[in-house]
Amino acid sequence: MQALRRVPALNATYENETLYRHDSINLAVAVALEDGLLTPVLAGAERFSLQGLAQESRKLIERARANKLQPNDLQGGTFTISNLGVIRQVDQFTAIINPPQVAILAVGTVKQRPLVIDGGLHIRHTVHLTLSGDHRVVDGMHLGQFMAAFQAELDHFSQ
């Protein structure tokens, strides 16, 4: 999540009218279970590449679904990712911020869609991302900067 390094305003929590910006990125991952939703935390997510982050989050999700989380696995999140893209019909959605965090990224389904590239029509796999922020402490510019940085990170990964 190098995008959070570039836009540190979103790697924060807001409690008791105080904003706390965090050095470490503790990525909460929304996991749907039969009896509800959990957001286990991948602490120190900045240590991982995008591929490493995917591997580590899969392990965390497996532990959540196997009911093998420890209490500290559910604490200290500084930013959440919610992926309803596993449900093919969910192209996009708006996720609710997980207090006291100040932002959440919603990920829809990856699908083949038409794109215009250099004046030509092409079919590419794309995904709709929606970023929600707590406007008491961040604004649209922060959200836009994050999305631009995240897109650059994805573009770099795909090369």
Side-chain angles (χ1 to χ4, degrees):
M1 296 289 335
Q2 296 310 312
L4 284 171
R5 282 280 184 232
R6 293 190 185 133
V7 188
L10 299 187
N11 189 48
T13 52
Y14 185 65
E15 298 178 80
N16 302 320
E17 298 185 28
T18 303
L19 178 66
Y20 301 94
R21 290 195 177 169
H22 302 279
D23 292 328
S24 186
I25 298 169
N26 296 329
L27 185 63
V29 180
V31 179
L33 303 174
E34 285 186 27
D35 58 345
L37 181 73
L38 289 177
T39 52
V41 176
L42 179 57
E46 72 277 1
R47 300 173 291 146
F48 302 104
S49 67
L50 203 53
Q51 291 168 322
L53 196 57
Q55 290 173 339
E56 292 300 315
S57 63
R58 273 193 291 275
K59 290 178 191 175
L60 187 64
I61 291 166
E62 287 173 14
R63 285 193 0 247
R65 290 188 175 144
N67 199 26
K68 293 186 177 180
L69 293 175
Q70 299 298 315
N72 63 344
D73 289 329
L74 297 168
Q75 298 174 2
T78 60
F79 184 87
T80 297
I81 293 182
S82 182
N83 178 7
L84 281 178
V86 296
I87 300 171
R88 185 163 166 64
Q89 293 80 4
V90 179
D91 281 339
Q92 64 188 37
F93 68 103
T94 302
I96 306 280
I97 299 166
N98 189 12
Q101 297 167 28
V102 302
I104 185 169
L105 181 65
V107 181
T109 300
V110 176
K111 287 185 179 178
Q112 288 188 336
R113 295 181 176 93
L115 286 178
V116 176
I117 302 172
D118 295 327
L121 189 59
H122 301 270
I123 303 297
R124 296 289 189 269
H125 284 93
T126 65
V127 64
H128 292 286
L129 303 171
T130 306
L131 183 63
S132 300
D134 183 339
H135 283 275
R136 293 175 299 171
V137 291
V138 297
D139 60 32
M141 185 58 77
H142 293 115
L143 302 175
Q145 289 169 339
F146 174 87
M147 293 302 278
F150 192 70
Q151 179 67 53
E153 195 174 333
L154 290 175
D155 290 344
H156 177 73
F157 177 75
S158 67
Q159 294 177 354

